[in-house]
Structures are given as structure tokens and as C-alpha cells.
Amino acid sequence: MSLLQFTGKSIYCAAADIHIDPWQPVDRAIITHAHSDHARSGCKHYLAHRESEPILRLRLGADISLQTVEYNEPIFINGVKITLHPAGHIIGSAQIRVEHKGDVWVASGDYKLEDDKFCMPFESVRCNTFITESTFGLPIYKWKPQQEVFSEIEEWISLNKSNGKTSILMGYSLGKMQRILHNLNLPDEPIYAHGAIYTVNETLRKAGYNLPELTLVTKEMDKKLFQKSLVVAPPSADNTPWLKKFTPYSIGYCSGWMAVRGAKNRRAIDRGFILSDHADWNELNKAVKECGAESVFVTHGSTDVFSKWLNENGITAAEVSTMYGSTEEKDQEQFQENV
């Protein structure tokens, strides 16, 4: 029997009787990170990295049974050694290393290799078998260094201001927006926020993370306040009446999918910024090579292309079916809007 198995409800370790990122309720779950497709409600007990705790309690309930550990802090269950290692995806994200009788598996969750200067950078973990995502598992996806993208965003904000427009910057509320807010050289002026982003940002600020204070946009606010300002919003705000109060405005959208021209054209946006919290093609290949795995299982994303590529290049690989999907694909928000 394999150390980890792909069941109908999770990636399961029978030897430890514990499930990784289950998509159905189970007794004991290990969570790679707090995005909704990996951290679901209804489990009796959760294990996750310490930095995931504020958002997990926000999303799954303040009273969930949750044990947290540091990176590389071992947990032993029935002779199985479990450790969490940085995935570089969002705050608290982890790869799950499972070792039993000399066999080592690593389940990556979602990850990226570039250091985003906000969450702990990805750590390559040696293993016999690697379970990798492949959200951007096509050769067309190759990211620029993030500082180039942040410079483009800063120039866009400055241009909008000189043209008398409000800049509405859209990105996923958990992960993407903290990365942006932490790294942008922002003007010393109020930054207005949609409720979904405000809630996550304030939760992490209260937990001690270095993020700028945001001003929540409310219905009662005078529209003049927003003139020439920066407003941050989730993708779900696109094409909604909520935007009218900011007229005239320009919309910038941050996503890896902006690398494909059609993705920008399908949205009513003015500027696409190619910025992803997932590995690009080169990073996926580097991660597989550096972990040294003899076999690889490929989950959500371009599973067919990436697994075929690995097999053609001497690494035994197979597609596996899970319920994980890219948060960037879904463009959904799990938090209640406050406006």
C-alpha cells in the first residue's frame, strides 16, 4: 500500500490515519494553506502551520480544534513522521512531508519559488514521491521578477492620478493582495478597500504582520474622497454596481492569467499585471528536479501536459484527480462583503 493514497475525499495517509487537505469532513486533517479549496469546514481536528491560524479561525470558525506547528517541527503518529515545510504560496502555506519506514512523500499544496518578501520562501524537500500542483503547467507561463511588476503598478497608479482617475487594483484577497500591499511603494494617503480585502488585511495586521492600514469603503462615504486615490478590491467586484462610486476610474487586475491576452479581454479591465502566487513553468520543473523524486503525481491545473512532459523527460509521472483548483481560476471570495 502506498504511504499516501488518493481517495474520494483527500490525500490520505492510512498509517497515520490522517488526511491532507480533505474536501470532505474527516476526523483529522492536515491543511497546507488557508485558501478555500484546501481548507474546508467540518473536520473534527486540524493541523496547520502557526501562521495559518488567524485566517483559518476567521474562515472556519474561531472555535475549531486546531493544532499548529512551526516549519520543520516533527509530529509523530503511529510511527509516521510528519513535518511542514515552506511552500512560498501565501502566509502560513506549507508542503507536507510524510515519512514512514524509509519512504518519504511530499504533498506540495500550492507553491511558488520566487521569494515574495512577505511569506516564508519555498524550501526544496528531498523525497521519493512528490505530489505537485500544475496550475500554470504550460511553457507559455513564465513570470517576470515581481519587482518589475510592482514598478509597472506604481507607474500605472501615478498615471491614473495625473489623469484625474481613481486606481482600482484587483487581486485575490488572501495572499495576492497582502503581497502587493507589503511590496508596493505606496503614497502616504488613505488606501481604500473593499470589505473582503479589508477583513483579511485587518485580521493579519492584528496578528502582527507588517501591512498598511486600509480604510473600508462604505455606502455613506462621500464619492469625492475616492478621487485620484487607490482602491483595492477582489476580482468578484468586477462588473458590479459597487464600482460606480469611484467614477472616473481605471481597473488594474493582478493574476497569472493576464499572461494570456484573451483573459484580459474577457474582463472589463484597463490594465493586466502578470503576477501569480503559483509556480510558472520553469519553477514547476525546478521544484520537481530539486526534490529528487523518482515518481511524481500531478494534481490540479494542466495535469495532462505537465505529467506527459515529465514522463518524456525521464521522470515517472501520473495525473491524479482531486477537488483542488486555483483560487485565481475561481475568482471567488469566501468572505462576506461588508458594503
Side-chain angles (χ1 to χ4, degrees):
M1 179 181 293
S2 298
L3 180 54
L4 297 182
Q5 304 162 48
F6 301 95
T7 69
K9 56 184 177 183
S10 71
I11 299 172
Y12 179 58
C13 178
D17 190 21
I18 196 164
H19 301 258
I20 297 173
D21 289 353
W23 50 89
Q24 292 182 16
V26 298
D27 286 348
R28 292 194 299 174
I30 310 175
I31 302 302
T32 61
H33 64 286
H35 277 147
S36 63
D37 55 334
H38 291 260
R40 300 171 190 259
S41 61
C43 296
K44 291 184 179 178
H45 182 75
Y46 296 90
L47 172 67
H49 185 262
R50 176 182 57 79
E51 292 186 321
S52 289
E53 181 167 3
I55 299 300
L56 286 176
R57 292 199 183 278
L58 172 69
R59 291 197 46 240
L60 304 182
D63 59 348
I64 59 170
S65 175
L66 172 64
Q67 177 185 1
T68 63
V69 294
E70 299 289 349
Y71 292 124
N72 291 291
E73 178 183 348
I75 297 289
F76 293 92
I77 305 174
N78 299 333
V80 178
K81 180 181 178 182
I82 298 170
T83 48
L84 277 58
H85 301 263
H89 177 56
I90 65 169
I91 195 76
S93 61
Q95 303 169 84
I96 311 300
R97 181 186 185 275
V98 182
E99 178 180 357
H100 189 230
K101 297 181 178 178
D103 191 17
V104 178
W105 287 54
V106 171
S108 71
D110 293 328
Y111 64 94
K112 69 176 181 295
L113 270 58
E114 183 180 27
D115 181 2
D116 67 14
K117 310 298 183 186
F118 185 67
C119 66
M120 188 67 74
F122 178 89
E123 172 187 309
S124 180
V125 183
R126 301 289 292 183
C127 58
N128 303 110
T129 305
F130 186 49
I131 303 170
T132 181
E133 62 138 317
S134 60
T135 302
F136 291 102
L138 295 174
I140 61 170
Y141 295 112
K142 294 177 181 176
W143 312 143
K144 292 188 288 189
Q146 68 171 15
Q147 192 51 55
E148 291 186 26
V149 181
F150 292 143
S151 294
E152 292 173 0
I153 295 173
E154 290 165 1
E155 291 171 5
W156 170 76
I157 293 172
S158 178
L159 179 62
N160 289 334
K161 192 169 186 176
S162 64
N163 290 334
K165 293 183 178 180
T166 299
S167 299
I168 300 176
L169 188 61
M170 292 185 173
Y172 193 68
S173 62
L174 172 57
K176 183 72 59 60
M177 197 50 71
Q178 288 79 53
R179 179 184 182 184
I180 292 169
L181 291 169
H182 181 77
N183 284 284
L184 277 186
N185 183 19
L186 295 166
D188 186 21
E189 299 170 353
I191 303 169
Y192 297 97
H194 184 281
I197 289 175
Y198 178 85
T199 301
V200 174
N201 199 72
E202 287 307 296
T203 298
L204 291 173
R205 271 172 39 82
K206 289 176 182 175
Y209 294 97
N210 181 21
L211 291 166
E213 185 174 359
L214 303 179
T215 300
L216 177 65
V217 175
T218 65
K219 294 177 181 177
E220 295 75 23
M221 284 181 163
D222 189 332
K223 292 193 295 185
K224 293 179 180 177
L225 287 172
F226 309 123
Q227 291 178 357
K228 302 181 184 180
S229 66
L230 172 62
V231 178
V232 290
S236 59
D238 193 15
N239 285 316
T240 65
W242 184 79
L243 295 173
K244 291 182 180 178
K245 59 173 66 71
F246 309 113
T247 303
Y249 59 80
S250 177
I251 296 178
Y253 190 101
C254 299
S255 170
W257 300 113
M258 292 298 102
V260 181
R261 181 175 299 176
K264 175 179 177 295
N265 293 340
R266 284 192 293 273
R267 287 183 170 274
I269 59 176
D270 302 299
R271 182 70 183 271
F273 299 103
I274 305 170
L275 187 71
S276 177
D277 292 332
H278 294 263
D280 68 2
W281 175 256
N282 289 336
E283 290 180 334
L284 288 170
N285 279 277
K286 185 177 181 182
V288 169
K289 181 180 179 181
E290 292 189 348
C291 76
E294 298 99 20
S295 61
V296 175
F297 290 100
V298 184
T299 65
H300 51 293
S302 301
T303 55
D304 53 345
V305 174
F306 192 52
S307 59
K308 182 180 179 183
W309 163 263
L310 293 175
N311 280 305
E312 289 175 348
N313 285 273
I315 297 174
T316 302
E319 298 177 67
V320 288
S321 178
T322 65
M323 292 294 287
Y324 312 135
S326 166
T327 51
E328 299 193 47
E329 288 175 306
K330 292 179 178 178
D331 283 352
Q332 293 177 344
E333 296 300 319
Q334 293 74 46
F335 304 98
Q336 294 295 317
E337 296 182 6
N338 293 330
V339 295

